[in-house]
Amino acid sequence: MATAKSIDTGDYKLFPSPRNVHRVIFEHQVFVPYPYALIVMDEFYFKGRYSLFSACRLSDGKMGQVATFELASDVDIFDKKFTPD
């Protein structure tokens, strides 16, 4: 049984996705309040690097996922293409 290692930031408690190619928290972030949505980041065809985390938002305890991006333009791509299940 694997032990999940969390990363605490000022805003979130994050748990890295095992599918992440880049295990980095990038500058541009999007919180989506859908903890069980399957987000296949490869299918968005981002221009820069990205990573995905399961997340707990510390301000209100809301569970969800945080997608982080190296490029601000990739946030726009994610916002346009992401639809929860």
Side-chain angles (χ1 to χ4, degrees):
M1 184 166 150
T3 304
K5 299 213 179 208
S6 66
I7 302 166
D8 293 326
T9 69
D11 299 316
Y12 305 103
K13 178 176 227 128
L14 301 173
F15 299 89
S17 169
R19 292 181 167 172
N20 282 345
V21 174
H22 308 287
R23 296 179 185 257
V24 177
I25 302 168
F26 295 105
E27 177 182 0
H28 308 286
Q29 303 173 4
V30 177
F31 177 81
V32 293
Y34 306 101
Y36 303 110
L38 178 61
I39 303 173
V40 182
M41 299 291 276
D42 294 345
E43 294 178 358
F44 289 88
Y45 301 103
F46 299 117
K47 293 181 177 35
R49 298 182 301 164
Y50 54 84
S51 57
L52 182 66
F53 300 87
S54 292
C56 176
R57 189 166 52 195
L58 298 177
S59 64
D60 61 1
K62 181 79 174 167
M63 298 300 292
Q65 298 180 64
V66 171
T68 72
F69 306 96
E70 181 178 43
L71 303 175
S73 60
D74 286 339
V75 172
D76 295 333
I77 293 169
F78 182 80
D79 287 340
K80 288 177 187 169
K81 293 185 176 181
F82 174 72
T83 53
D85 314 14

